[in-house]
Amino acid sequence: EVQLVESGGGLVQPGGSLRLSCATSGFTFRDRYMDWVRQAPGKGLEWVGRTRNKARSYTTEYAASVKGRFIISRDDSKNSLYLQMNSLKTEDTAVYYCAREGGYCSDISCYTYFDYWGQGALVTVSS
Amino acid sequence: DIQMTQSPSTLSASVGDRVTITCRASQSISSWLAWYQQKPGKAPKLLIYKASSLESGVPSRFSGSGSGTEFTLTISSLQPDDFATYYCQQYNSVWTFGQGTKVEIK
């Protein structure tokens, strides 16, 4: 059974930092591209960023709203995904989900969706 | 970024009703569209990918159609477990989601 379990959420002041973790099991983590998606209270879903696998040099991509402040990393030996959030703003308040990509990738392009999600971790940025 | 617009925002329906939700893309996304179901306090759950492919384990009363810029999610006979919020998502380029459609009890 595929499982993704986030941890590390909490209350942080504006300008502060927080690190989320996502522990996974039930699939070959090292082969997969993994993502973070967030949802502000009462709002819709927003993609945050992605990490590719070792075959693609662990390259990352980020949404414009978090680029330069958030860093996604992974530890394949621990089957875990991380989100380091720096210079946090009140508008970063959200439930953060880790998600596994499913779908199709070639050397040229990727067409992937999110086939498994964690239960989410609430991050509240407030003074 | 590609904008995704869902309609309606809220839908009131009864058990047994046929329900249709529409999703429009601001530019062509071929068939690179997914649908998700989300219940309060829970993570989204994948229902449909590539516009019309049913995810394993999802009941056959759910179906998707469309290509290009216009897509629909249909629930053929609404069940009590289906009252939730539904999101479309394009994956032709950087992922973007629709704003959601809440299906509530009439």
Side-chain angles (χ1 to χ4, degrees):
Chain A
E1 180 191 7
V2 172
Q3 289 193 322
L4 297 83
V5 180
E6 298 94 339
S7 60
L11 174 64
V12 61
Q13 291 189 338
S17 297
L18 201 63
R19 188 194 197 208
L20 301 182
S21 300
C22 173
T24 75
S25 60
F27 65 100
T28 307
F29 178 79
R30 64 177 180 272
D31 290 343
R32 294 288 190 158
Y33 295 8
M34 297 293 297
D35 294 64
W36 289 95
V37 179
R38 69 184 180 183
Q39 186 171 36
K43 301 297 184 182
L45 299 162
E46 179 189 18
W47 173 74
V48 171
R50 145 209 251 187
T51 174
R52 296 180 179 85
N53 56 16
K54 182 178 181 180
R56 298 296 180 194
S57 304
Y58 299 123
T59 51
T60 53
E61 294 177 56
Y62 299 94
S65 57
V66 307
K67 194 171 186 178
R69 300 188 298 122
F70 288 13
I71 299 171
I72 296 174
S73 62
R74 61 193 292 164
D75 185 336
D76 290 349
S77 69
K78 295 182 178 179
N79 295 328
S80 292
L81 177 72
Y82 306 100
L83 179 65
Q84 177 67 43
M85 301 181 289
N86 301 320
S87 302
L88 282 160
K89 306 175 181 180
T90 55
E91 53 263 41
D92 294 320
T93 293
V95 174
Y96 285 75
Y97 296 100
C98 63
R100 188 185 85 165
E101 289 187 28
Y104 162 78
C105 275
S106 70
D107 287 345
I108 300 172
S109 58
C110 260
Y111 296 102
T112 57
Y113 44 86
F114 305 126
D115 58 359
Y116 286 94
W117 301 60
Q119 86 286 354
L122 176 61
V123 174
T124 303
V125 185
S126 175
S127 55
Chain B
D1 289 358
I2 298 174
Q3 305 301 314
M4 306 301 292
T5 304
Q6 289 181 232
S7 60
S9 295
T10 306
L11 187 159
S12 298
S14 301
V15 172
D17 284 353
R18 182 181 182 88
V19 166
T20 298
I21 299 169
T22 298
C23 178
R24 289 186 174 87
S26 60
Q27 64 188 74
S28 178
I29 58 170
S30 184
S31 295
W32 305 119
L33 185 102
W35 289 96
Y36 300 87
Q37 176 194 66
Q38 187 178 34
K39 296 180 179 179
K42 300 294 186 182
K45 173 188 173 183
L46 177 67
L47 300 175
I48 302 280
Y49 61 93
K50 209 175 179 184
S52 60
S53 295
L54 194 68
E55 174 70 348
S56 176
V58 174
S60 59
R61 62 181 180 272
F62 291 93
S63 63
S65 64
S67 66
T69 62
E70 188 151 339
F71 303 85
T72 58
L73 173 71
T74 299
I75 309 172
S76 60
S77 178
L78 197 65
Q79 298 301 302
D81 191 48
D82 302 337
F83 292 97
T85 299
Y86 294 84
Y87 293 94
C88 63
Q89 175 212 20
Q90 66 80 20
Y91 54 100
N92 182 72
S93 61
V94 173
W95 302 271
T96 49
F97 295 85
Q99 81 279 15
T101 295
K102 183 179 181 179
V103 177
E104 60 181 25
I105 301 172
K106 189 173 183 179

